[in-house]
């Protein structure tokens, strides 16, 4: 349950059987996708209250949660930040009166956040789309899903409240097709394709900027299909069934085949390739200026008309050059 409160957003969350035994602050951090430090501040300020009749009231950060416990969290309103429309070039590949699909370039942050008050895709959208207004919240108007800063490709943006609600519902029900192109280190072996990775993801307990596979994480499912093989890498089609933070990057790292050029989960990069293929791997790494991950295809039923919207995006020039090099030197 989510609604606007006079002081900010209000959310209600319930502990599942799989999540039992976790610390309250860690569990809320994962469920709300915020830092544990922030959750601890909310707990200290009395913004978190247990709602089920048996244990209604406030709880300590170190309490161990049990199945069926429900909590209401009042998230304090952020400091006032005025969103400014900025004349930033934006590739809008589809648009009607309800929504738009944007082909985001690598290096662009989707919405304002600490350290990125401007120059974001939202700032550009406010300039290009007159009807965006206050759809979906003051700081993230129209945003239905996100891409990491260094991931390029397709994003759908709602222009009306009806479209926002419909698209969010479709994402929850896994009715939005999101297909990515990725280059990964090594060669994935599987008896059947597409390969399904079903591994829950939560925030890393040692590094809050990283996500990791953990048994108390949120359900995360990714499907892979090999498009091309190279001496020390593979080109993959990657389909998201869920949409967790860093999901593709974490799942590929988890199975031992991190994304080429990825700075967080693929530390060491080509150094992990030994033997005669190491020279080839280093050559590919030098020619890959960022993580080789691109949101290449987006398909969904229009939330108002019901018609199928299907949009594709070719590899941007920087990744296409790296792919051409790999194909010419295999």
């Amino acid at each position: 349950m989510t609604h606007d409160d006079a002081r900010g957003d209000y959310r209600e969350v319930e502990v599942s059987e799989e999540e039992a035994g976790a610390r309250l602050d860690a569990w809320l951090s994962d469920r709300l996708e915020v830092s544990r430090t922030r959750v601890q501040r909310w707990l200290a300020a009395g913004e978190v209250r247990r709602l089920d009749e048996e244990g209604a009231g406030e709880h300590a950060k170190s309490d161990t949660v049990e199945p069926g416990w429900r909590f209401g969290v009042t998230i304090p309103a952020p400091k006032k930040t005025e969103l400014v429309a900025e004349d930033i070039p934006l590739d809008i590949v589809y648009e009607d009166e309800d929504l738009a699909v944007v082909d985001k370039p690598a290096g662009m942050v989707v919405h304002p956040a600490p350290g990125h008050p401007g120059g974001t895709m939202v700032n550009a959208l406010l300039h290009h789309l007159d009807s965006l207004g206050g759809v979906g919240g003051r700081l993230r108007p129209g945003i239905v899903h996100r891409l990491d800063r260094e991931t390029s490709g397709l994003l759908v943006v709602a222009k009306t409240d009806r479209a926002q609600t419909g698209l969010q519902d479709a994402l929850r029900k896994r009715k939005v097709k999101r297909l990515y192109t990725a280059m990964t280190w090594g060669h994935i072996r599987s008896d059947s394709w597409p390969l399904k990775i079903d591994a829950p993801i939560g925030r890393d307990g040692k590094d809050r900027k990283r996500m990791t596979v953990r048994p108390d994480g949120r359900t995360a499912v990714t499907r892979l299909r090999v498009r091309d093989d190279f001496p020390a890498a593979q080109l993959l089609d990657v389909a998201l069934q869920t949409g967790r933070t860093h999901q593709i990057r974490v799942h590929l790292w988890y199975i031992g085949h991190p994304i080429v050029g990825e700075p967080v989960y693929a530390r060491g990069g080509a150094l992990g390739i030994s033997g005669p293929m190491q020279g080839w791997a280093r050559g590919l790494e030098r020619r890959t200026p960022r993580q080789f991950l691109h949101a290449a295809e987006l398909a969904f039923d229009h939330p108002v008309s019901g018609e199928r919207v299907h949009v594709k995006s070719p590899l941007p020039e920087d990744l296409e050059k790296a792919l051409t090099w790999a194909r010419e030197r295999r």
Side-chain angles (χ1 to χ4, degrees), residues 196-236:
K196 178 181 178 181
I197 305 174
D198 187 348
I201 291 176
R203 204 164 291 277
D204 191 311
K206 296 181 180 179
D207 183 349
R208 304 302 294 174
K209 295 182 179 180
R210 288 170 56 102
M211 308 299 287
T212 191
V213 169
R214 47 188 294 175
D216 61 344
R218 302 178 69 189
T219 300
V221 180
T222 306
R223 296 181 184 273
L224 312 176
R225 187 187 299 275
V226 176
R227 283 179 54 186
D228 210 345
D229 280 305
F230 303 104
Q234 287 179 313
L235 186 70
L236 305 178

Side-chain angles (χ1 to χ4, degrees), residues 234-273:
Q234 287 179 313
L235 186 70
L236 305 178
D237 284 331
V238 184
L240 280 180
Q241 189 168 323
T242 55
R244 307 306 177 204
T245 301
H246 299 179
Q247 179 173 320
I248 295 175
R249 296 157 64 190
V250 171
H251 271 174
L252 288 169
W253 160 78
Y254 174 68
I255 65 171
H257 297 277
I259 295 172
V260 174
E262 203 284 319
V264 177
Y265 302 97
R267 291 173 181 170
L271 296 177
I273 307 295

Side-chain angles (χ1 to χ4, degrees), residues 63-319:
D63 286 350
T64 301
V65 300
E66 299 294 338
W69 284 13
R70 290 190 303 111
F71 290 88
V73 184
T74 300
I75 302 174
K79 295 180 180 179
K80 289 187 176 180
T81 301
E82 293 298 327
L83 283 179
V84 178
E86 299 181 31
D87 187 5
I88 301 170
L90 203 59
D91 185 7
I92 300 173
V93 296
Y94 174 90
E95 183 181 4
D96 59 32
E97 61 184 11
D98 298 294
L99 58 85
V101 178
V102 178
D103 199 341
K104 185 187 85 69
M108 175 179 278
V109 175
V110 171
H111 57 74
H116 299 285
T120 71
M121 194 179 81
V122 164
N123 296 106
L125 286 169
L126 290 171
H127 173 81
H128 291 280
L129 305 180
D130 293 336
S131 62
L132 193 61
V135 176
R138 183 169 53 84
L139 294 181
R140 303 181 183 184
I143 300 303
V144 178
H145 61 117
R146 293 175 290 174
L147 293 177
D148 296 335
R149 179 176 183 172
E150 294 304 323
T151 300
S152 54
L154 299 171
L155 274 171
V156 61
V157 178
K159 296 170 62 177
T160 65
D161 289 328
R162 183 179 179 184
Q164 177 96 7
T165 301
L167 289 167
Q168 289 174 336
D169 184 60
L171 281 166
R172 280 193 297 269
K173 294 178 179 178
R174 303 176 182 178
K175 293 183 177 180
V176 179
K177 178 182 179 181
R178 289 174 287 173
L179 189 66
Y180 292 71
T181 301
M183 181 90 80
T184 58
W185 290 118
H187 298 98
I188 302 172
R189 305 300 178 191
S190 176
D191 294 332
S192 61
W193 294 97
L195 175 65
K196 178 181 178 181
I197 305 174
D198 187 348
I201 291 176
R203 204 164 291 277
D204 191 311
K206 296 181 180 179
D207 183 349
R208 304 302 294 174
K209 295 182 179 180
R210 288 170 56 102
M211 308 299 287
T212 191
V213 169
R214 47 188 294 175
D216 61 344
R218 302 178 69 189
T219 300
V221 180
T222 306
R223 296 181 184 273
L224 312 176
R225 187 187 299 275
V226 176
R227 283 179 54 186
D228 210 345
D229 280 305
F230 303 104
Q234 287 179 313
L235 186 70
L236 305 178
D237 284 331
V238 184
L240 280 180
Q241 189 168 323
T242 55
R244 307 306 177 204
T245 301
H246 299 179
Q247 179 173 320
I248 295 175
R249 296 157 64 190
V250 171
H251 271 174
L252 288 169
W253 160 78
Y254 174 68
I255 65 171
H257 297 277
I259 295 172
V260 174
E262 203 284 319
V264 177
Y265 302 97
R267 291 173 181 170
L271 296 177
I273 307 295
S274 58
M277 292 300 99
Q278 189 176 81
W280 185 95
R282 288 183 174 178
L284 175 62
E285 190 169 57
R286 286 195 301 270
R287 289 164 176 83
T288 308
R290 60 172 171 99
Q291 61 191 26
F292 201 116
L293 184 61
H294 178 67
E297 191 171 344
L298 189 63
F300 54 90
D301 291 336
H302 194 286
V304 177
S305 70
E307 296 181 1
R308 191 68 173 169
V309 178
H310 191 177
V311 186
K312 295 183 179 182
S313 169
L315 273 181
E317 184 178 4
D318 58 348
L319 299 186

